[in-house]
Amino acid sequence: MSNEILKDINLTLKEGETLGIVGKSGAGKSTLLKLIAGYVDIQKGEVFFEEQKVIGPTEKLIPGYEDLQLVQQDFALDLYHTIIENIEQKLLHLPFKEKNKFTEELLELLDLKHIQDLKAIQISGGEKQRLSIARALAAEPKILLLDEPFSNLDKHIFKKIAKYILELQQIRGLGIILVTHDERDIFRFCQKVIYLKQGKIIRKSVPEDFYNKPKSREEALFFGEINVFTVKNKRILRRPHEYFLTNIKNAKRIPVSFVESRFRHGMYHNYFILENEKPIVLYNFESLNGTKEIFIV
């Protein structure tokens, strides 16, 4: 008897919408994408795309659907074909001139032009990731399923791809389901987010609710740094910007010991130790060296 990986999953994706999926490794995120794409058989339940049932590999001779393109962590490339051949395989439906034009566009977008004649087995992991994205975009899908798609990308390439994908959403109503461990991707792309734990959806909400109103420290960490305080035996979760210095009369003061201040992303990240020796970080436009007490919002 096989173990149940996903349980009581119920979600919908609207045209032009991006749904983010977060959770620890092993929560079932990648399996969920493969089920939606038709690469894994569903033991119980159903997936529908445009009112048609998605079927898995035991029922379909060639698994998958052109309108549901999955960019997965193992890349799923034809390793002994060249980069340009890998892309052109997804463009057989186009006339010759259009195929060549679209291929050139994708090679430029993903910075693969200079290695277009190398076989996929010869290129690096980051290049394979870019090629996998190029193949998915070449199919002009209606839904793009992305499993940690940007983890190996240089910043300037990521910006180009992000701009391109967001434009496709506006022009064609492209739907996206994004699995990521990077909270920045959630805030850049996603209108809705689900938090998956041990195969179950623990919470569905918008990104700002996950950030501003986390239910637990574990959940909060998927969306950025979090500080944990205990005040009057009550556990409090607060983001690093949610505090005041102690110039407020009669405020509940929390003594701290300064550790260091680092300048990151336009602000100082100020590190302190609380009385109970737990570390916290506070964001500020200045170094808070010398601060002895704080007031948590």
Side-chain angles (χ1 to χ4, degrees):
M1 184 177 177
S2 60
N3 291 329
E4 202 173 28
I5 298 174
L6 296 165
K7 293 158 278 189
D8 303 322
I9 300 296
N10 184 11
L11 58 88
T12 58
L13 183 73
K14 297 177 183 177
E15 185 177 291
E17 185 177 54
T18 299
L19 170 67
I21 303 177
V22 300
K24 286 185 176 180
S25 297
K29 304 184 299 297
S30 297
T31 300
L32 179 56
L33 290 192
K34 290 175 182 177
L35 283 170
I36 295 169
Y39 287 113
V40 174
D41 289 313
I42 301 172
Q43 302 302 317
K44 184 180 178 181
E46 294 174 313
V47 174
F48 286 91
F49 171 66
E50 294 186 334
E51 300 183 355
Q52 297 295 313
K53 184 179 176 181
V54 173
I55 58 177
T58 58
E59 298 182 67
K60 199 169 187 288
L61 183 62
I62 302 175
Y65 294 80
E66 286 301 300
D67 282 336
L68 302 170
Q69 286 294 311
L70 173 61
V71 176
Q72 50 192 322
Q73 294 180 60
D74 62 5
F75 309 126
L77 306 173
D78 289 322
L79 293 177
Y80 293 96
H81 286 188
T82 65
I83 287 175
I84 198 167
E85 288 168 344
N86 264 278
I87 296 173
E88 287 179 342
Q89 285 171 1
K90 294 287 189 176
L91 297 171
L92 298 178
H93 61 289
L94 293 179
F96 181 77
K97 285 186 178 179
E98 288 184 33
K99 181 178 72 173
N100 285 349
K101 183 179 178 182
F102 198 8
T103 301
E104 288 295 312
E105 180 182 326
L106 291 171
L107 288 169
E108 290 291 339
L109 174 69
L110 279 302
D111 196 23
L112 295 169
K113 179 73 176 171
H114 63 294
I115 52 171
Q116 67 178 35
D117 295 321
L118 291 180
K119 292 181 179 179
I121 199 170
Q122 298 174 292
I123 63 179
S124 70
E127 289 163 344
K128 287 176 181 173
Q129 188 171 40
R130 300 198 316 260
L131 179 55
S132 182
I133 295 171
R135 280 167 54 88
L137 292 174
E140 298 185 280
K142 294 182 179 178
I143 295 180
L144 200 54
L145 305 164
L146 302 173
D147 192 356
E148 299 286 355
F150 310 125
S151 56
N152 294 316
L153 299 185
D154 293 337
K155 191 174 289 187
H156 74 284
I157 295 174
F158 166 76
K159 287 181 178 179
K160 284 202 302 179
I161 295 170
K163 182 174 181 289
Y164 187 88
I165 290 174
L166 290 171
E167 286 174 353
L168 284 182
Q169 282 193 295
Q170 294 294 321
I171 296 168
R172 294 209 325 249
L174 175 69
I176 299 172
I177 301 180
L178 171 65
V179 167
T180 182
H181 283 95
D182 190 333
E183 74 276 5
R184 293 170 297 181
D185 293 341
I186 293 293
F187 296 118
R188 285 185 189 109
F189 294 104
C190 301
Q191 288 83 46
K192 294 191 303 186
V193 184
I194 63 172
Y195 169 37
L196 209 60
K197 184 175 182 180
Q198 296 178 344
K200 286 188 175 183
I201 296 176
I202 302 300
R203 186 181 180 190
K204 296 180 187 178
S205 194
V206 295
E208 49 266 43
D209 277 354
F210 275 104
Y211 185 82
N212 292 319
K213 302 171 185 177
K215 303 290 187 183
S216 68
R217 181 178 181 274
E218 179 184 292
E219 176 193 297
L221 286 170
F222 289 110
F223 301 89
E225 290 186 280
I226 193 76
N227 293 316
V228 182
F229 303 87
T230 301
V231 178
K232 295 183 179 178
N233 297 318
K234 183 180 179 181
R235 197 165 185 246
I236 299 172
L237 301 175
R238 289 292 181 267
R239 295 294 177 186
H241 64 274
E242 296 181 294
Y243 71 95
F244 294 112
L245 301 181
T246 53
N247 56 357
I248 301 175
K249 291 182 178 180
N250 302 319
K252 173 61 180 178
R253 291 167 166 78
I254 302 177
V256 294
S257 299
F258 180 81
V259 178
E260 64 175 329
S261 186
R262 302 176 193 167
F263 187 73
R264 293 178 177 174
H265 310 298
M267 298 189 79
Y268 285 92
H269 290 208
N270 296 280
Y271 295 88
F272 295 88
I273 298 290
L274 301 179
E275 280 185 316
N276 58 9
E277 299 186 350
K278 286 188 177 180
I280 62 168
V281 57
L282 305 177
Y283 299 160
N284 199 284
F285 288 109
E286 298 177 359
S287 171
L288 298 180
N289 188 2
T291 299
K292 299 300 182 185
E293 293 179 313
I294 55 174
F295 171 55
I296 302 303
V297 176

